[in-house]
Amino acid sequence: MAERVAVVTGAARGIGAAIATRLASDGLKVGVLDLDAAHCADTVKAITDAGGQAVALGADVSDEDSVNAAVDQLAEQLGAPTVLVNNAGILRDNLIFKMSVDDWNAVMNVHLRGSFLMSRAVQKYMVEAKWGRIVSMSSTSAQGNRGQVNYSAAKAGLQGFTKTLAVELGRFGVTANAIAPGFIVTDMTAATAARVGVPFEDYQKAAAGQIPVQRVGRPEDIAHTASFLVSEGAGFVSGQVIYVAGGPMD
């Protein structure tokens, strides 16, 4: 994997930062992408301090020109990207009767349009190399979650998106899979706790009590799964949605 170049979106913090750091430790060169390149400094530093190679990329994943410029920059600085992790995401939670069209569109644009634009931009390098890995971040919320009609729809949409990529790109040696995290301790879950008016520590304890392994997840749990899916050994795994949630999902 030492010659492979990856790009991870939403990698300034949380799950994205954990995945970027893990892929770098696996030997990949990593493009650390977020809305503002300056916000990627900590992730890039963690990678380079450990002896890896990384570059900070600033892009709005919902903007075509911004995406194309960032992918071109990565190709010039580190090499052609053949691994993509679509992790960028936002929350605009509300019950449907309170949800604005802007909040619906914002979530769809980042999660779905962003994953489409990023995947389209990098697939040409994968097809040329006859090798590639695309991992997109779904969620257990894809099965429905109160107050998240926009987020749930987007995360369910990413599962269909992933399966179709697997069908279209498989003949070129490209796999596409999705990870559906359960409760992971991140700023986003902290925001959800705040939305429902529960202290975050209490929110985590309540969640752990409902999870078979009796704990909440950490960003590193998702990074381990992403590491496998982009590996050489995962070449016969494609079109799958892997729930990383501490127990079985329907």
Side-chain angles (χ1 to χ4, degrees):
M1 301 296 284
E3 299 305 314
R4 305 294 186 193
V5 177
V7 55
V8 182
T9 69
R13 59 183 181 174
I15 290 173
I19 292 173
T21 304
R22 174 57 189 267
L23 296 188
S25 72
D26 291 340
L28 287 85
K29 304 171 187 176
V30 183
V32 179
L33 188 149
D34 214 289
L35 188 60
D36 186 338
H39 294 164
C40 301
D42 288 346
T43 306
V44 170
K45 185 176 187 301
I47 291 171
T48 55
D49 284 354
Q53 295 185 61
V55 61
L57 303 168
D60 175 354
V61 295
S62 68
D63 181 83
E64 182 177 7
D65 291 340
S66 183
V67 164
N68 290 338
V71 172
D72 287 346
Q73 178 187 344
L74 176 61
E76 291 172 5
Q77 291 188 260
L78 292 184
T82 53
V83 173
L84 166 65
V85 180
N86 288 311
N87 170 74
I90 61 171
L91 291 177
R92 295 290 185 272
D93 293 352
N94 224 326
L95 296 174
I96 189 168
F97 75 95
K98 296 180 180 178
M99 185 171 291
S100 68
V101 171
D102 285 346
D103 284 347
W104 173 272
N105 287 340
V107 169
M108 291 297 165
N109 284 341
V110 173
H111 292 270
L112 283 176
R113 179 182 170 92
S115 295
F116 159 68
L117 290 174
M118 287 297 304
S119 299
R120 191 181 64 174
V122 301
Q123 58 82 33
K124 61 183 179 182
Y125 295 105
M126 299 178 180
V127 170
E128 183 177 346
K130 297 294 189 289
W131 191 96
R133 301 283 188 266
I134 299 173
V135 177
S136 298
M137 212 56 57
S138 181
S139 170
T140 54
S141 292
Q143 297 185 358
N145 196 34
R146 179 180 171 85
Q148 291 192 319
V149 67
N150 49 2
Y151 185 80
S152 295
K155 291 305 192 182
L158 281 170
Q159 296 189 13
F161 175 77
T162 292
K163 292 176 184 293
T164 302
L165 286 183
V167 171
E168 292 188 6
L169 298 176
R171 70 188 64 189
F172 303 107
V174 179
T175 67
N177 293 285
I179 299 172
F183 191 109
I184 308 295
V185 177
T186 65
D187 290 345
M188 291 181 76
T189 47
T192 301
R195 175 175 63 84
V196 299
V198 177
F200 194 34
E201 287 299 321
D202 294 342
Y203 196 65
Q204 292 180 58
K205 290 178 182 177
Q210 301 297 315
I211 297 171
V213 300
Q214 294 290 288
R215 71 170 177 89
V216 294
R218 299 286 173 180
E220 291 74 21
D221 292 309
I222 308 305
H224 291 314
T225 306
S227 173
F228 166 67
L229 290 174
V230 308
S231 69
E232 296 284 358
F236 205 55
V237 180
S238 195
Q240 302 305 304
V241 179
I242 300 178
Y243 283 86
V244 183
M249 300 296 297
D250 294 334

mmCIF file of all heavy atoms in Angstrom, residues 14-19 22 137 179-186 211 213 215-229 242-246:
data_model
loop_
_atom_site.group_PDB
_atom_site.id
_atom_site.type_symbol
_atom_site.label_atom_id
_atom_site.label_comp_id
_atom_site.label_asym_id
_atom_site.label_seq_id
_atom_site.Cartn_x
_atom_site.Cartn_y
_atom_site.Cartn_z
ATOM 1 N N GLY A 14 -12.625 13.991 14.437
ATOM 2 C CA GLY A 14 -13.558 12.887 14.602
ATOM 3 C C GLY A 14 -13.214 11.647 13.800
ATOM 4 O O GLY A 14 -12.043 11.247 13.691
ATOM 5 N N ILE A 15 -14.240 11.038 13.222
ATOM 6 C CA ILE A 15 -14.068 9.798 12.468
ATOM 7 C C ILE A 15 -13.126 10.004 11.288
ATOM 8 O O ILE A 15 -12.259 9.168 11.019
ATOM 9 C CB ILE A 15 -15.435 9.263 12.004
ATOM 10 C CG1 ILE A 15 -16.247 8.754 13.203
ATOM 11 C CG2 ILE A 15 -15.262 8.147 10.978
ATOM 12 C CD1 ILE A 15 -17.679 8.366 12.871
ATOM 13 N N GLY A 16 -13.281 11.105 10.577
ATOM 14 C CA GLY A 16 -12.432 11.347 9.412
ATOM 15 C C GLY A 16 -10.960 11.437 9.778
ATOM 16 O O GLY A 16 -10.101 10.877 9.085
ATOM 17 N N ALA A 17 -10.653 12.136 10.873
ATOM 18 C CA ALA A 17 -9.260 12.246 11.319
ATOM 19 C C ALA A 17 -8.713 10.884 11.718
ATOM 20 O O ALA A 17 -7.556 10.551 11.413
ATOM 21 C CB ALA A 17 -9.160 13.221 12.487
ATOM 22 N N ALA A 18 -9.529 10.082 12.401
ATOM 23 C CA ALA A 18 -9.088 8.746 12.811
ATOM 24 C C ALA A 18 -8.814 7.860 11.609
ATOM 25 O O ALA A 18 -7.830 7.104 11.578
ATOM 26 C CB ALA A 18 -10.139 8.103 13.712
ATOM 27 N N ILE A 19 -9.656 7.956 10.582
ATOM 28 C CA ILE A 19 -9.452 7.149 9.379
ATOM 29 C C ILE A 19 -8.196 7.604 8.645
ATOM 30 O O ILE A 19 -7.378 6.784 8.213
ATOM 31 C CB ILE A 19 -10.679 7.228 8.461
ATOM 32 C CG1 ILE A 19 -11.876 6.524 9.115
ATOM 33 C CG2 ILE A 19 -10.374 6.608 7.092
ATOM 34 C CD1 ILE A 19 -13.177 6.686 8.353
ATOM 35 N N ARG A 22 -5.164 6.401 10.474
ATOM 36 C CA ARG A 22 -4.994 4.957 10.358
ATOM 37 C C ARG A 22 -4.484 4.567 8.973
ATOM 38 O O ARG A 22 -3.580 3.716 8.840
ATOM 39 C CB ARG A 22 -6.314 4.244 10.659
ATOM 40 C CG ARG A 22 -6.286 2.740 10.431
ATOM 41 C CD ARG A 22 -5.189 2.052 11.267
ATOM 42 N NE ARG A 22 -5.026 0.658 10.893
ATOM 43 C CZ ARG A 22 -5.656 -0.356 11.500
ATOM 44 N NH1 ARG A 22 -6.485 -0.107 12.517
ATOM 45 N NH2 ARG A 22 -5.456 -1.590 11.114
ATOM 46 N N MET A 137 -19.524 6.708 4.134
ATOM 47 C CA MET A 137 -20.014 6.596 5.492
ATOM 48 C C MET A 137 -21.526 6.702 5.528
ATOM 49 O O MET A 137 -22.104 7.768 5.298
ATOM 50 C CB MET A 137 -19.398 7.689 6.367
ATOM 51 C CG MET A 137 -19.180 7.284 7.803
ATOM 52 S SD MET A 137 -18.163 5.796 8.037
ATOM 53 C CE MET A 137 -16.656 6.282 7.192
ATOM 54 N N ILE A 179 -19.728 1.930 5.344
ATOM 55 C CA ILE A 179 -19.696 1.639 6.770
ATOM 56 C C ILE A 179 -20.863 2.389 7.408
ATOM 57 O O ILE A 179 -21.071 3.581 7.141
ATOM 58 C CB ILE A 179 -18.380 2.108 7.409
ATOM 59 C CG1 ILE A 179 -17.182 1.396 6.771
ATOM 60 C CG2 ILE A 179 -18.397 1.866 8.915
ATOM 61 C CD1 ILE A 179 -15.834 1.944 7.228
ATOM 62 N N ALA A 180 -21.627 1.692 8.235
ATOM 63 C CA ALA A 180 -22.759 2.308 8.927
ATOM 64 C C ALA A 180 -22.475 2.302 10.427
ATOM 65 O O ALA A 180 -22.763 1.311 11.110
ATOM 66 C CB ALA A 180 -24.053 1.572 8.613
ATOM 67 N N PRO A 181 -21.895 3.367 10.944
ATOM 68 C CA PRO A 181 -21.594 3.407 12.372
ATOM 69 C C PRO A 181 -22.855 3.498 13.221
ATOM 70 O O PRO A 181 -23.864 4.086 12.806
ATOM 71 C CB PRO A 181 -20.759 4.684 12.524
ATOM 72 C CG PRO A 181 -20.279 5.013 11.145
ATOM 73 C CD PRO A 181 -21.367 4.545 10.243
ATOM 74 N N GLY A 182 -22.769 2.916 14.416
ATOM 75 C CA GLY A 182 -23.782 3.152 15.422
ATOM 76 C C GLY A 182 -23.388 4.360 16.241
ATOM 77 O O GLY A 182 -22.931 5.366 15.692
ATOM 78 N N PHE A 183 -23.533 4.269 17.559
ATOM 79 C CA PHE A 183 -23.196 5.402 18.425
ATOM 80 C C PHE A 183 -21.679 5.524 18.530
ATOM 81 O O PHE A 183 -21.016 4.673 19.124
ATOM 82 C CB PHE A 183 -23.804 5.200 19.822
ATOM 83 C CG PHE A 183 -23.734 6.436 20.672
ATOM 84 C CD1 PHE A 183 -24.875 7.154 20.966
ATOM 85 C CD2 PHE A 183 -22.514 6.888 21.187
ATOM 86 C CE1 PHE A 183 -24.811 8.301 21.763
ATOM 87 C CE2 PHE A 183 -22.438 8.028 21.967
ATOM 88 C CZ PHE A 183 -23.596 8.736 22.253
ATOM 89 N N ILE A 184 -21.136 6.590 17.970
ATOM 90 C CA ILE A 184 -19.705 6.882 18.050
ATOM 91 C C ILE A 184 -19.527 8.220 18.767
ATOM 92 O O ILE A 184 -20.245 9.184 18.478
ATOM 93 C CB ILE A 184 -19.072 6.960 16.640
ATOM 94 C CG1 ILE A 184 -19.403 5.715 15.807
ATOM 95 C CG2 ILE A 184 -17.564 7.154 16.757
ATOM 96 C CD1 ILE A 184 -18.828 4.421 16.341
ATOM 97 N N VAL A 185 -18.592 8.275 19.677
ATOM 98 C CA VAL A 185 -18.355 9.509 20.434
ATOM 99 C C VAL A 185 -17.650 10.527 19.529
ATOM 100 O O VAL A 185 -16.458 10.402 19.234
ATOM 101 C CB VAL A 185 -17.500 9.225 21.684
ATOM 102 C CG1 VAL A 185 -17.191 10.533 22.422
ATOM 103 C CG2 VAL A 185 -18.227 8.257 22.610
ATOM 104 N N THR A 186 -18.399 11.496 19.069
ATOM 105 C CA THR A 186 -17.881 12.560 18.215
ATOM 106 C C THR A 186 -18.585 13.865 18.574
ATOM 107 O O THR A 186 -19.531 13.882 19.363
ATOM 108 C CB THR A 186 -18.134 12.272 16.719
ATOM 109 O OG1 THR A 186 -19.548 12.272 16.484
ATOM 110 C CG2 THR A 186 -17.533 10.945 16.291
ATOM 111 N N ILE A 211 -26.599 -1.295 23.865
ATOM 112 C CA ILE A 211 -25.691 -1.908 22.895
ATOM 113 C C ILE A 211 -25.191 -3.242 23.448
ATOM 114 O O ILE A 211 -24.733 -3.295 24.588
ATOM 115 C CB ILE A 211 -24.500 -0.960 22.602
ATOM 116 C CG1 ILE A 211 -25.011 0.340 21.970
ATOM 117 C CG2 ILE A 211 -23.486 -1.639 21.683
ATOM 118 C CD1 ILE A 211 -23.951 1.425 21.850
ATOM 119 N N VAL A 213 -22.503 -4.998 23.216
ATOM 120 C CA VAL A 213 -21.149 -5.045 23.787
ATOM 121 C C VAL A 213 -20.991 -4.100 24.976
ATOM 122 O O VAL A 213 -19.906 -4.009 25.556
ATOM 123 C CB VAL A 213 -20.075 -4.748 22.717
ATOM 124 C CG1 VAL A 213 -20.129 -5.762 21.584
ATOM 125 C CG2 VAL A 213 -20.195 -3.322 22.175
ATOM 126 N N ARG A 215 -20.854 -0.880 25.395
ATOM 127 C CA ARG A 215 -20.046 0.339 25.337
ATOM 128 C C ARG A 215 -20.417 1.109 24.085
ATOM 129 O O ARG A 215 -20.994 0.543 23.139
ATOM 130 C CB ARG A 215 -18.545 0.029 25.318
ATOM 131 C CG ARG A 215 -18.015 -0.587 24.019
ATOM 132 C CD ARG A 215 -16.496 -0.619 24.019
ATOM 133 N NE ARG A 215 -15.913 -1.250 22.840
ATOM 134 C CZ ARG A 215 -15.602 -0.607 21.709
ATOM 135 N NH1 ARG A 215 -15.862 0.683 21.588
ATOM 136 N NH2 ARG A 215 -15.040 -1.257 20.710
ATOM 137 N N VAL A 216 -20.095 2.379 24.072
ATOM 138 C CA VAL A 216 -20.271 3.173 22.865
ATOM 139 C C VAL A 216 -19.018 3.035 22.004
ATOM 140 O O VAL A 216 -17.971 2.579 22.463
ATOM 141 C CB VAL A 216 -20.551 4.654 23.197
ATOM 142 C CG1 VAL A 216 -21.884 4.795 23.904
ATOM 143 C CG2 VAL A 216 -19.431 5.251 24.045
ATOM 144 N N GLY A 217 -19.144 3.426 20.752
ATOM 145 C CA GLY A 217 -18.024 3.317 19.839
ATOM 146 C C GLY A 217 -17.121 4.534 19.865
ATOM 147 O O GLY A 217 -17.504 5.609 20.349
ATOM 148 N N ARG A 218 -15.920 4.336 19.354
ATOM 149 C CA ARG A 218 -14.934 5.410 19.225
ATOM 150 C C ARG A 218 -14.559 5.554 17.750
ATOM 151 O O ARG A 218 -14.699 4.598 16.969
ATOM 152 C CB ARG A 218 -13.681 5.076 20.039
ATOM 153 C CG ARG A 218 -13.951 4.910 21.532
ATOM 154 C CD ARG A 218 -14.193 6.232 22.214
ATOM 155 N NE ARG A 218 -14.616 6.076 23.601
ATOM 156 C CZ ARG A 218 -14.886 7.097 24.417
ATOM 157 N NH1 ARG A 218 -14.736 8.338 23.976
ATOM 158 N NH2 ARG A 218 -15.292 6.881 25.652
ATOM 159 N N PRO A 219 -14.070 6.718 17.340
ATOM 160 C CA PRO A 219 -13.665 6.884 15.939
ATOM 161 C C PRO A 219 -12.714 5.791 15.463
ATOM 162 O O PRO A 219 -12.766 5.379 14.293
ATOM 163 C CB PRO A 219 -13.002 8.266 15.935
ATOM 164 C CG PRO A 219 -13.730 9.019 17.007
ATOM 165 C CD PRO A 219 -13.963 7.997 18.089
ATOM 166 N N GLU A 220 -11.863 5.290 16.358
ATOM 167 C CA GLU A 220 -10.904 4.247 15.972
ATOM 168 C C GLU A 220 -11.605 2.953 15.558
ATOM 169 O O GLU A 220 -11.077 2.186 14.749
ATOM 170 C CB GLU A 220 -9.948 3.978 17.131
ATOM 171 C CG GLU A 220 -8.988 5.130 17.427
ATOM 172 C CD GLU A 220 -9.644 6.313 18.103
ATOM 173 O OE1 GLU A 220 -10.738 6.144 18.711
ATOM 174 O OE2 GLU A 220 -9.076 7.431 18.026
ATOM 175 N N ASP A 221 -12.785 2.698 16.097
ATOM 176 C CA ASP A 221 -13.544 1.512 15.693
ATOM 177 C C ASP A 221 -13.901 1.571 14.210
ATOM 178 O O ASP A 221 -13.872 0.564 13.503
ATOM 179 C CB ASP A 221 -14.822 1.381 16.528
ATOM 180 C CG ASP A 221 -14.538 1.061 17.982
ATOM 181 O OD1 ASP A 221 -13.779 0.106 18.242
ATOM 182 O OD2 ASP A 221 -15.078 1.749 18.862
ATOM 183 N N ILE A 222 -14.247 2.749 13.749
ATOM 184 C CA ILE A 222 -14.583 2.926 12.329
ATOM 185 C C ILE A 222 -13.310 2.896 11.482
ATOM 186 O O ILE A 222 -13.289 2.353 10.379
ATOM 187 C CB ILE A 222 -15.340 4.248 12.127
ATOM 188 C CG1 ILE A 222 -16.531 4.332 13.081
ATOM 189 C CG2 ILE A 222 -15.799 4.369 10.676
ATOM 190 C CD1 ILE A 222 -17.489 3.160 13.002
ATOM 191 N N ALA A 223 -12.241 3.467 12.007
ATOM 192 C CA ALA A 223 -10.974 3.482 11.272
ATOM 193 C C ALA A 223 -10.460 2.074 11.015
ATOM 194 O O ALA A 223 -9.921 1.788 9.942
ATOM 195 C CB ALA A 223 -9.938 4.300 12.038
ATOM 196 N N HIS A 224 -10.620 1.169 11.981
ATOM 197 C CA HIS A 224 -10.195 -0.210 11.788
ATOM 198 C C HIS A 224 -10.945 -0.852 10.616
ATOM 199 O O HIS A 224 -10.362 -1.565 9.790
ATOM 200 C CB HIS A 224 -10.455 -1.038 13.050
ATOM 201 C CG HIS A 224 -9.573 -0.676 14.208
ATOM 202 N ND1 HIS A 224 -8.217 -0.502 14.098
ATOM 203 C CD2 HIS A 224 -9.871 -0.473 15.520
ATOM 204 C CE1 HIS A 224 -7.715 -0.197 15.285
ATOM 205 N NE2 HIS A 224 -8.693 -0.168 16.162
ATOM 206 N N THR A 225 -12.239 -0.598 10.546
ATOM 207 C CA THR A 225 -13.052 -1.178 9.476
ATOM 208 C C THR A 225 -12.676 -0.585 8.128
ATOM 209 O O THR A 225 -12.569 -1.305 7.126
ATOM 210 C CB THR A 225 -14.541 -0.945 9.769
ATOM 211 O OG1 THR A 225 -14.843 -1.433 11.079
ATOM 212 C CG2 THR A 225 -15.413 -1.663 8.762
ATOM 213 N N ALA A 226 -12.471 0.719 8.095
ATOM 214 C CA ALA A 226 -12.054 1.360 6.849
ATOM 215 C C ALA A 226 -10.712 0.818 6.383
ATOM 216 O O ALA A 226 -10.496 0.603 5.179
ATOM 217 C CB ALA A 226 -11.971 2.872 7.040
ATOM 218 N N SER A 227 -9.806 0.585 7.321
ATOM 219 C CA SER A 227 -8.493 0.039 6.993
ATOM 220 C C SER A 227 -8.622 -1.290 6.260
ATOM 221 O O SER A 227 -7.934 -1.536 5.257
ATOM 222 C CB SER A 227 -7.673 -0.130 8.268
ATOM 223 O OG SER A 227 -6.451 -0.806 8.016
ATOM 224 N N PHE A 228 -9.509 -2.149 6.754
ATOM 225 C CA PHE A 228 -9.716 -3.430 6.078
ATOM 226 C C PHE A 228 -10.310 -3.239 4.682
ATOM 227 O O PHE A 228 -9.824 -3.831 3.705
ATOM 228 C CB PHE A 228 -10.648 -4.323 6.896
ATOM 229 C CG PHE A 228 -11.173 -5.493 6.109
ATOM 230 C CD1 PHE A 228 -10.329 -6.509 5.693
ATOM 231 C CD2 PHE A 228 -12.515 -5.550 5.754
ATOM 232 C CE1 PHE A 228 -10.812 -7.581 4.935
ATOM 233 C CE2 PHE A 228 -13.008 -6.610 4.996
ATOM 234 C CZ PHE A 228 -12.155 -7.633 4.590
ATOM 235 N N LEU A 229 -11.322 -2.406 4.569
ATOM 236 C CA LEU A 229 -12.026 -2.273 3.291
ATOM 237 C C LEU A 229 -11.154 -1.696 2.182
ATOM 238 O O LEU A 229 -11.395 -1.967 1.001
ATOM 239 C CB LEU A 229 -13.284 -1.426 3.471
ATOM 240 C CG LEU A 229 -14.414 -2.090 4.266
ATOM 241 C CD1 LEU A 229 -15.551 -1.105 4.500
ATOM 242 C CD2 LEU A 229 -14.924 -3.342 3.546
ATOM 243 N N ILE A 242 -21.477 -2.405 5.987
ATOM 244 C CA ILE A 242 -21.035 -3.030 7.227
ATOM 245 C C ILE A 242 -21.454 -2.157 8.405
ATOM 246 O O ILE A 242 -21.017 -1.013 8.542
ATOM 247 C CB ILE A 242 -19.504 -3.226 7.229
ATOM 248 C CG1 ILE A 242 -19.095 -4.132 6.049
ATOM 249 C CG2 ILE A 242 -19.041 -3.823 8.548
ATOM 250 C CD1 ILE A 242 -17.616 -4.356 5.935
ATOM 251 N N TYR A 243 -22.327 -2.713 9.241
ATOM 252 C CA TYR A 243 -22.764 -1.983 10.429
ATOM 253 C C TYR A 243 -21.749 -2.188 11.545
ATOM 254 O O TYR A 243 -21.465 -3.322 11.936
ATOM 255 C CB TYR A 243 -24.149 -2.477 10.870
ATOM 256 C CG TYR A 243 -25.261 -1.929 9.999
ATOM 257 C CD1 TYR A 243 -25.636 -2.550 8.811
ATOM 258 C CD2 TYR A 243 -25.908 -0.749 10.352
ATOM 259 C CE1 TYR A 243 -26.632 -2.030 8.008
ATOM 260 C CE2 TYR A 243 -26.905 -0.209 9.561
ATOM 261 C CZ TYR A 243 -27.269 -0.859 8.382
ATOM 262 O OH TYR A 243 -28.254 -0.329 7.583
ATOM 263 N N VAL A 244 -21.177 -1.097 11.992
ATOM 264 C CA VAL A 244 -20.211 -1.119 13.085
ATOM 265 C C VAL A 244 -20.908 -0.443 14.266
ATOM 266 O O VAL A 244 -20.808 0.753 14.478
ATOM 267 C CB VAL A 244 -18.912 -0.392 12.692
ATOM 268 C CG1 VAL A 244 -17.877 -0.486 13.805
ATOM 269 C CG2 VAL A 244 -18.352 -0.976 11.394
ATOM 270 N N ALA A 245 -21.666 -1.267 14.984
ATOM 271 C CA ALA A 245 -22.595 -0.716 15.964
ATOM 272 C C ALA A 245 -22.625 -1.481 17.274
ATOM 273 O O ALA A 245 -23.506 -1.250 18.103
ATOM 274 C CB ALA A 245 -24.000 -0.679 15.358
ATOM 275 N N GLY A 246 -21.697 -2.406 17.479
ATOM 276 C CA GLY A 246 -21.638 -3.119 18.738
ATOM 277 C C GLY A 246 -22.671 -4.203 18.905
ATOM 278 O O GLY A 246 -22.851 -4.726 20.001
#
